[in-house]
């Protein structure tokens, strides 16, 4: 995976998160459905069934948002890398360091020392 593009890695991680999220949501849904089956009253059973349904709806919505965000990030990264690869590199010319700058710094330090006294 060292040579893989990061956009592919982003998509793989999002897929793993999506799978984990949906697995946990299904476990929680099954738990609520189990509680609904064990419930003594009809109202209580209906409430647990409603909670199970709401859990799956919320988890599905969260998974869709997660996948959409990951796709957007991966596409953005791939686009920026293509743009960076197609842009010509500007060659910087190194300038010779001027010797005046250290002299100015030394004068400034002396002036500060005099003011402090």
């Amino acid at each position: 995976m060292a040579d893989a593009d990061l956009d592919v890695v982003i998509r793989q991680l999002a897929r793993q998160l999506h799978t984990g999220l949906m697995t946990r949501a299904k476990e929680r849904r099954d738990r609520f459905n189990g509680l609904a089956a064990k419930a003594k009253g009809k109202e209580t059973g209906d409430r647990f069934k409603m909670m199970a349904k709401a859990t799956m709806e919320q988890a599905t919505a969260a998974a869709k948002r997660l996948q959409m965000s990951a796709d957007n990030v991966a596409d953005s990264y791939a686009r920026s890398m293509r743009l960076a690869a197609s842009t010509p590199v500007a060659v910087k010319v190194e300038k010779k360091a001027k010797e005046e700058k250290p002299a100015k710094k030394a004068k400034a330090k002396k002036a500060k020392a005099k003011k402090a006294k």
Side-chain angles (χ1 to χ4, degrees):
M1 191 157 29
D3 291 14
D5 289 332
L6 285 180
D7 60 328
V8 175
V9 174
I10 291 167
R11 291 178 202 279
Q12 287 175 348
L13 290 173
R15 202 171 13 257
Q16 289 172 356
L17 289 173
H18 180 274
T19 303
L21 175 65
M22 293 310 294
T23 301
R24 291 299 211 168
K26 288 175 184 176
E27 288 173 2
R28 179 157 257 182
R29 177 198 62 191
D30 293 342
R31 180 175 168 266
F32 285 135
N33 283 333
L35 290 172
K38 291 179 185 178
K40 294 184 179 180
K42 181 173 174 27
E43 255 182 50
T44 308
D46 289 343
R47 187 167 15 108
F48 281 127
K49 285 181 184 178
M50 187 174 64
M51 288 171 64
K53 184 178 176 184
T55 298
M56 283 308 292
E57 288 174 358
Q58 293 294 325
T60 303
K64 283 181 184 177
R65 286 193 304 270
L66 174 72
Q67 190 65 42
M68 195 180 324
S69 294
D71 286 341
N72 288 341
V73 168
D75 290 343
S76 177
Y77 175 78
R79 187 173 40 253
S80 66
M81 287 297 107
R82 279 194 307 270
L83 182 65
S86 67
T87 306
V89 178
V91 179
K92 293 183 179 180
V93 179
E94 293 184 20
K95 295 181 181 179
K96 293 181 180 179
K98 295 181 181 178
E99 293 182 51
E100 294 177 23
K101 290 183 180 179
K104 287 182 180 178
K105 288 181 181 178
K107 288 180 184 178
K109 286 182 182 178
K110 286 179 183 179
K112 285 183 182 178
K114 287 181 180 179
K115 287 181 181 179
K117 289 181 182 180

